[in-house]
Amino acid sequence: MNRFKMLGVTLGLLGVASVLAACGAGDQGGAGYGAPQSATVGAPSSVVKAAGQVAAALAVPAGHTLTATYDATGVQVYTCLDSVWKPLEPAATLTDKEGRTIGLHSRGPVWISTLDGSAVAAAPVAGASNARPGAVPELLLKSTATRGEGVFGKVGYVQRLKTEGGVSPTGACVTGAQQSVKYTAVYTFHSPAAGAAQ
């Protein structure tokens, strides 16, 4: 069993399905990052310096503060439907600046803390995407549900930044086939500031 299959087992043991149910989040159609959501209206917050320069389209709405930044290493999984590769799910581990594993990222999409059990499910904000050559795009995602009181318990927005790899396979495929493509990214998590609405 390779390490990504082991990751899938680990996610199962942590009860990803129960996390999504508890959060009130579904599979978002099983198509990777699901349907776009609308962002909160307001002036964008400052650029997130922790993750480097961020495209204007990915700016987090005003009233939110950066609460965590983690590196992600894993795969984007694609499945063949009607002889065309379609995104299925991400499967990645999250690490802090010391390289310690602090969480997991999987279908939903959902991010789960392995330290405190908190979780956040989110969906892409419409139009909030930034293309990167040879990589899946950078994204701004809006929380659809959270669980717990830990690091992810109050997250309102998530940014996927500094993406490398993970692009869809090319060429013909046999329906039902799956392929995993390695990717890395930086995820930043933003929670409503005191007194601000999410």
Side-chain angles (χ1 to χ4, degrees), residues 47-119:
V47 167
V48 181
K49 294 181 176 60
Q53 188 172 0
V54 176
L58 308 180
V60 176
H64 292 76
T65 58
L66 175 67
T67 53
T69 300
Y70 298 123
D71 294 324
T73 302
V75 295
Q76 293 286 332
V77 182
Y78 294 87
T79 188
C80 185
L81 297 174
D82 298 323
S83 300
V84 177
W85 289 111
K86 300 288 186 180
L88 178 64
E89 62 184 351
T93 56
L94 304 176
T95 55
D96 63 16
K97 62 183 180 180
E98 281 81 35
R100 298 173 298 194
T101 298
I102 61 83
L104 300 169
H105 175 40
S106 188
R107 189 187 305 196
V110 63
W111 296 260
I112 306 168
S113 170
T114 54
L115 302 180
D116 59 35
S118 62

Side-chain angles (χ1 to χ4, degrees), residues 119-186:
V120 56
V125 172
S129 177
N130 183 53
R132 282 175 61 85
V136 289
E138 296 179 319
L139 297 173
L140 174 66
L141 304 101
K142 184 179 181 181
S143 170
T144 56
T146 58
R147 185 189 75 173
E149 296 296 327
V151 65
F152 297 142
K154 298 184 183 302
V155 170
Y157 285 89
V158 181
Q159 290 172 315
R160 183 175 76 178
L161 306 172
K162 291 188 173 181
T163 51
E164 299 288 345
V167 296
S168 173
T170 58
C173 60
V174 177
T175 296
Q178 291 188 6
Q179 187 168 333
S180 298
V181 183
K182 293 181 180 179
Y183 93 110
T184 61
V186 173

